[in-house]
Amino acid sequence: MISSNPERLQRAIGYTFKDDSLLHLALTHRSAGGVHNERLEFLGDAVLSWVIADELYHRFPDVSEGDLSPMRSTLVKGKTLAELARSFELGEYIKLGPGELKSGGFRRESILADAVEAIIGAVYLDSGNDSAKEMLLRWYKDRLNTIEPGLSQKDPKTRLQEILQSRKQALPDYQVVEIKGEAHNQQFTVSCSVEGLEKPIIGISTSRRKAEQVAAELVLERLV
Amino acid sequence: MISSNPERLQRAIGYTFKDDSLLHLALTHRSAGGVHNERLEFLGDAVLSWVIADELYHRFPDVSEGDLSPMRSTLVKGKTLAELARSFELGEYIKLGPGELKSGGFRRESILADAVEAIIGAVYLDSGNDSAKEMLLRWYKDRLNTIEPGLSQKDPKTRLQEILQSRKQALPDYQVVEIKGEAHNQQFTVSCSVEGLEKPIIGISTSRRKAEQVAAELVLERLV
C-alpha cells in the first residue's frame, strides 16, 4: 500500500524535506509499531491553530471573536484535514500496522487528519515557522478565500440556502423518499436536489428534519 | 480602579509596548463598551498554545502525545492564566463596565485569564513571534521547570499522594467532618490534613469520594 514515490507526495504538499526522516515519521501511524507520528501531530495541531488564527485575525479586521472562533474550528477540524489528505492522496503513503491495513485504515478520516497534522509538525521542525506558515496558507488558499463569518455556526440547511441565494440559484428541493421501521424507531430517507448537481443527494436519519440536514451537509461538501 | 501607572504593569510582564494602544486594548473588557479585548484574546490564545506545545515538544523528547496534551492543558488553562494575572496585579489595570466593577469583576478568574491572553496577542502584534515567545517562556519558567509528564492526568488524590511521597512527607489524612441531607441527596464534608499546611482543608461534595478529591485539589493548589 505504501507508495514508493515520496517525491510525488512532496510535490502534492508543496514542500520538499531537507530531512527525509521527518516525513517518514509523520507518515508512520501508531499501529505500525515503534516510533510513530503522534508527537508530531501534537506539534502540528498547535502550529496549524496559530497560523489559522493569525490569518483570520488579519483578514477579518471587523469580525468579532464570537465569529472568528467557529471559523477557525471549521478550518482545522478533522473533516477539513481529511479533505486535504485526500487531495494529497496521502492514504497511499501512510504506514499502518497489519490490522489497520486490513480494515482499510488508510481511508479512515481520523488517521488521515492526524497524518496531515503530523506533516505540518514535521515541516515546522524541518524549516521553522515561516515555511510552515507559507505552506499552510497555500493549502488553505481557497478555503480562506471563501469562508464567511457567521456562516459556519448555522445549520447545514440554512447555510445551503444562503449559499444558493448568494449565487442567485434556485432553493434546494427536499423530498421524503422513504420512511421505514416502526413508529418509535423510524428511518427517514430524504433527497435534496440542487441546480448544478447531476443527481439528488440522499440523507438518512431518524427524523425528516435530521435527514434533510444530513442531505444539506452532503450537498454543501460538493458545492463549497 | 484603573491604575494610572502602566509602566509598573509593563515591568511586571517584562515587556514594553511600542504601541501603547495595543496594551490599552488588551486591558479593555467587553463590559466597558466600545472596542474590547476579545479579538486579541482569540489571537493570544493561539500564540500561547503554539509556544507551549513547541516548548514541551522539545523539553520532553521522550514523552508521548498522551502525556504532552494534558501538560499543555494544565499550563494554558484559565486557572493558570489567572494566577499569572494575579502575579502581575493585572486586576488593577483592567477597564471594566460599571456593572462588572460593582460586582468585583476585576477579581473574576475568567476576566483575568482572558486579559492575559489578550496581552499575549497584543505583544505578538506589537513585535512578532519571537518576542512573544521569549516573554512567555519567562512567564512560564518555573512552571516549565516543575511540570512532570503523567502527573496532570491523574486525579487530585493520586497527585497529592505522589507529590508528598516525592517530598518524603507523610500521606494526607482525610476525615469525614459532616454528612448532611437525606439519603438520596447527601452532602459530604471532608477535611484533608497535610504536613506543612497550618490547618486542614475542607472539601464538600455529594459523596465522600468526591469530597476527598475536592479537598485534595484545594491542597494541591496551595502546595504546587
Side-chain angles (χ1 to χ4, degrees):
Chain A
M1 180 43 60
I2 301 182
S3 167
S4 53
N5 187 354
E7 283 73 30
R8 192 158 60 90
L9 176 60
Q10 299 190 71
R11 273 199 303 279
I13 65 173
Y15 181 82
T16 305
F17 279 85
K18 298 170 205 159
D19 178 356
D20 287 343
S21 70
L22 280 168
L23 175 59
H24 183 79
L25 183 58
L27 295 170
T28 305
H29 184 253
R30 138 174 243 143
S31 62
V35 190
H36 53 74
N37 66 6
E38 287 184 2
R39 279 173 46 88
L40 284 177
E41 177 201 332
F42 167 78
L43 186 60
D45 168 79
V47 171
L48 174 64
S49 277
W50 157 60
V51 169
I52 297 295
D54 179 81
E55 184 65 18
L56 290 176
Y57 182 91
H58 288 99
R59 262 186 197 239
F60 297 95
D62 302 318
V63 169
S64 73
E65 182 276 334
D67 277 336
L68 291 174
S69 287
M71 288 165 81
R72 176 170 64 168
S73 301
T74 301
L75 293 170
V76 306
K77 71 183 176 188
K79 211 174 91 183
T80 306
L81 295 174
E83 284 168 16
L84 286 169
R86 286 188 206 101
S87 75
F88 306 145
E89 301 183 348
L90 196 61
E92 292 180 33
Y93 301 90
I94 298 178
K95 203 174 144 198
L96 296 165
E100 287 289 358
L101 258 182
K102 252 192 215 158
S103 65
F106 46 87
R107 284 189 298 266
R108 245 212 346 261
E109 194 147 277
S110 62
I111 289 180
L112 291 171
D114 293 350
V116 168
E117 291 183 330
I119 288 178
I120 297 167
V123 169
Y124 176 77
L125 290 180
D126 199 51
S127 45
N129 309 345
D130 293 341
S131 301
K133 188 171 177 179
E134 207 179 280
M135 176 186 77
L136 287 172
L137 294 181
R138 255 184 287 117
W139 288 7
Y140 275 94
K141 192 173 165 226
D142 293 345
R143 285 179 177 82
L144 283 164
N145 286 338
T146 52
I147 197 164
E148 283 181 49
L151 268 187
S152 42
Q153 310 98 294
K154 291 178 185 167
D155 66 76
K157 278 182 73 177
T158 308
R159 276 187 286 150
L160 178 57
Q161 181 176 329
E162 289 179 351
I163 286 176
L164 294 174
Q165 281 171 335
S166 73
R167 297 180 179 179
K168 316 261 182 244
Q169 288 186 297
L171 293 184
D173 179 32
Y174 296 95
Q175 298 286 345
V176 177
V177 176
E178 189 184 39
I179 306 175
K180 273 206 302 214
E182 293 163 34
H184 59 289
N185 187 25
Q186 286 186 309
Q187 188 191 68
F188 290 78
T189 303
V190 164
S191 72
C192 173
S193 307
V194 168
E195 235 182 280
L197 284 186
E198 276 176 39
K199 48 183 187 178
I201 301 296
I202 299 298
I204 299 176
S205 191
T206 52
S207 75
R208 178 186 174 149
R209 203 186 51 78
K210 285 186 192 163
E212 288 179 353
Q213 296 290 1
V214 170
E217 179 72 48
L218 294 170
V219 171
L220 279 168
E221 283 175 24
R222 292 176 189 232
L223 289 185
V224 182
Chain B
M1 181 43 56
I2 301 183
S3 165
S4 53
N5 187 355
E7 282 73 30
R8 191 158 62 90
L9 175 61
Q10 297 189 71
R11 274 199 302 278
I13 64 174
Y15 182 83
T16 305
F17 278 86
K18 298 170 206 159
D19 177 356
D20 287 344
S21 71
L22 280 169
L23 175 59
H24 183 78
L25 182 59
L27 295 171
T28 306
H29 184 254
R30 142 176 238 140
S31 62
V35 190
H36 52 74
N37 65 4
E38 286 184 3
R39 280 174 45 88
L40 284 177
E41 176 201 334
F42 168 77
L43 186 60
D45 168 79
V47 171
L48 174 64
S49 277
W50 157 61
V51 169
I52 297 294
D54 179 80
E55 184 65 17
L56 291 175
Y57 182 92
H58 288 98
R59 262 187 198 238
F60 297 96
D62 302 319
V63 169
S64 74
E65 181 276 333
D67 278 336
L68 291 174
S69 288
M71 287 165 82
R72 178 171 60 170
S73 302
T74 300
L75 293 171
V76 307
K77 70 182 176 189
K79 211 174 89 182
T80 307
L81 295 174
E83 285 168 16
L84 287 169
R86 285 187 206 102
S87 74
F88 306 145
E89 301 182 348
L90 196 60
E92 292 180 33
Y93 302 90
I94 298 177
K95 204 175 146 197
L96 295 166
E100 287 288 358
L101 258 183
K102 251 193 218 159
S103 64
F106 46 88
R107 283 189 300 267
R108 239 201 4 251
E109 193 147 277
S110 62
I111 289 181
L112 291 171
D114 293 350
V116 168
E117 290 183 331
I119 288 179
I120 298 167
V123 170
Y124 176 77
L125 290 180
D126 199 50
S127 45
N129 309 344
D130 294 340
S131 302
K133 189 171 176 178
E134 208 179 279
M135 175 186 77
L136 287 172
L137 295 181
R138 256 184 287 117
W139 289 7
Y140 276 94
K141 192 172 164 228
D142 293 344
R143 286 179 177 82
L144 283 165
N145 286 339
T146 53
I147 197 164
E148 284 181 49
L151 271 187
S152 42
Q153 311 100 292
K154 292 178 185 166
D155 65 76
K157 277 184 74 178
T158 308
R159 275 187 286 151
L160 178 56
Q161 181 175 330
E162 289 179 350
I163 285 177
L164 294 174
Q165 282 172 333
S166 74
R167 298 181 179 179
K168 316 261 183 243
Q169 289 186 296
L171 293 184
D173 179 32
Y174 297 94
Q175 298 286 345
V176 177
V177 177
E178 189 185 39
I179 306 176
K180 276 206 299 212
E182 293 162 34
H184 61 287
N185 187 24
Q186 286 185 310
Q187 189 191 67
F188 291 77
T189 303
V190 165
S191 73
C192 174
S193 306
V194 169
E195 237 182 279
L197 283 187
E198 276 176 39
K199 47 183 188 179
I201 302 294
I202 299 298
I204 299 176
S205 190
T206 53
S207 75
R208 178 185 175 152
R209 203 186 51 77
K210 284 187 193 163
E212 288 178 352
Q213 297 289 1
V214 170
E217 179 72 48
L218 293 171
V219 171
L220 280 168
E221 283 176 23
R222 291 174 189 232
L223 290 184
V224 183

